[in-house]
Amino acid sequence: MGALEEWIAEMFLVHSLNLLRFSADVQGKIVALMGAMSKELAAKLGEGEVSSYGKQRLAALLRESNAVISSHYSGMEAEAMRNLLGMTRIEADYTAKVLTQGLKIELGAKLPPATYLEKLVGDTLIKGASSANWWKRQALDTQFRFASQVRLGAAQGETTSTIVARVVGTNAKAAGGDTEVMPGILKTSEANARALVHSSVQAVANAARLASFQENADLIECLVWLATLDSHTCLLCAMRDLHEYSLDDQEPINHTHEWAGGPGTIHFSCRCVLSTRTKTFKDLGIELDEPGESTRPSDGGAVSSKMNFKDFLASKDKAWRAEYLGPGRAEMYEAGKITLNDLMNLKGRKLTLEELQAKYAR
């Protein structure tokens, strides 16, 4: 990892903290819209004693409730898309500025066309589906779970207030005086919406960055995958840390780990960051000294930007590795029977402990 590449990686890793803050803000807006939906559904249920409804009236209630859910999810999707569109322009501009500052380009790096960035928001995939499709899936899932809880409560002769608690949750006093929280199915919907916002922000930000890199292909040598150095990073991402991919078609360079959508899209709530290895000053005909060594953040503080996840894992004690890998896998890792890459097969599916033991039995 060259000095210039290290500096660029540091700039994008530090910038990722701002993206997390942006994501938290958008999540707050979505949660507020979710709260409005929750109140409207509770009011809809409160129009009568649900357990006394006949078949037709119950069906009408569910149709009306489905319309409420669909309408609110459309609003959530629109709010998310509006924020994502603004973010793509910021991300593309930031990427160009990093390249301009890093490579000392007097006229500045090129930006992708605005129309392309707008299209990018709708086209970016998260685990094989667009953000818009995920919002529709979540709306249908909420409708299904809402209807299931209402039908169950009605069939059991529960009061409307109990059915409302099933749906929106409640705080109740337990026998000992402590507050007992009944979450309600909409809490799951809220958690799913938060995850979708975070995943969308990460996916679209990295897609906009990739578009900016491709727009400046004359400056770029290849793409670099950066994982987060902490215990929350999954093996799928850890094994790709600091690995390089071709700019045009994202083919692996000197390794076998597929792009699989790239940083931020390989799975929900992915925190990986896309960076790049640029051509050197010498390659670009620029008579300047290369920048000095940079750092990257980890859960133990700043470390050398040359440190990949394998080195990070080695820097931890046995107890940390046992908790991260699991006792059985950690024992095989410590004994040198498996490597970090061996913990996954080439398609990225986790290998069970039993599969590992069978594969490396001696």
Side-chain angles (χ1 to χ4, degrees), residues 1-13 98-99 102-103 213 219-226 240-245 253 274-281 290-296 304-306:
M1 195 173 187
L4 181 57
E5 179 187 355
E6 293 171 14
W7 181 83
I8 290 174
E10 182 179 17
M11 294 294 287
F12 285 130
L13 286 169
V98 169
L99 294 176
L103 295 170
F213 289 155
L219 308 176
I220 305 298
E221 192 68 33
C222 64
L223 305 173
V224 179
W225 189 303
L226 300 176
R240 288 170 167 79
D241 186 39
L242 294 188
H243 279 31
E244 297 180 344
Y245 295 83
I253 299 176
L274 177 63
S275 188
T276 184
R277 176 158 62 86
T278 63
K279 296 177 180 178
T280 64
F281 286 157
E290 301 292 336
E293 183 176 333
S294 299
T295 61
R296 63 183 298 190
S304 169
S305 56
K306 291 184 173 68

Side-chain angles (χ1 to χ4, degrees), residues 30-31 34-35 73 138 142 145 185-196:
I30 297 302
V31 168
M34 187 75 69
Y73 267 92
Q138 289 198 7
T142 298
R145 289 185 295 108
I185 60 101
L186 291 186
K187 287 297 181 183
T188 300
S189 296
E190 179 182 315
N192 290 340
R194 283 181 177 273
L196 178 53

Side-chain angles (χ1 to χ4, degrees), residues 170-188:
T170 186
N171 293 332
K173 289 291 183 181
D178 296 330
T179 300
E180 182 179 3
V181 178
M182 298 174 62
I185 60 101
L186 291 186
K187 287 297 181 183
T188 300

Side-chain angles (χ1 to χ4, degrees), residues 296-344:
R296 63 183 298 190
S298 76
D299 64 356
V303 297
S304 169
S305 56
K306 291 184 173 68
M307 178 179 281
N308 60 21
F309 203 94
K310 177 184 175 182
D311 298 330
F312 172 70
L313 195 62
S315 73
K316 297 295 185 179
D317 57 31
K318 286 187 177 181
W320 194 98
R321 287 194 291 271
E323 183 177 354
Y324 177 72
L325 297 172
R329 293 184 180 87
E331 184 177 346
M332 297 176 74
Y333 185 85
E334 302 292 350
K337 294 181 179 180
I338 59 173
T339 66
L340 186 61
N341 289 345
D342 292 328
L343 291 165
M344 292 282 191

Side-chain angles (χ1 to χ4, degrees), residues 134-176:
W134 280 113
W135 282 113
K136 290 179 177 63
R137 290 188 191 186
Q138 289 198 7
L140 291 173
D141 178 64
T142 298
Q143 289 174 341
F144 175 80
R145 289 185 295 108
F146 176 87
S148 297
Q149 292 302 316
V150 171
R151 288 194 178 103
L152 180 60
Q156 295 181 164
E158 294 176 349
T159 63
T160 295
S161 60
T162 301
I163 295 173
V164 169
R166 281 180 172 277
V167 174
V168 304
T170 186
N171 293 332
K173 289 291 183 181

Side-chain angles (χ1 to χ4, degrees), residues 332 337-339 342 351 355-362:
M332 297 176 74
K337 294 181 179 180
I338 59 173
T339 66
D342 292 328
L351 295 174
E355 289 172 327
L356 281 173
Q357 288 170 335
K359 183 177 180 181
Y360 293 95
R362 294 180 181 176

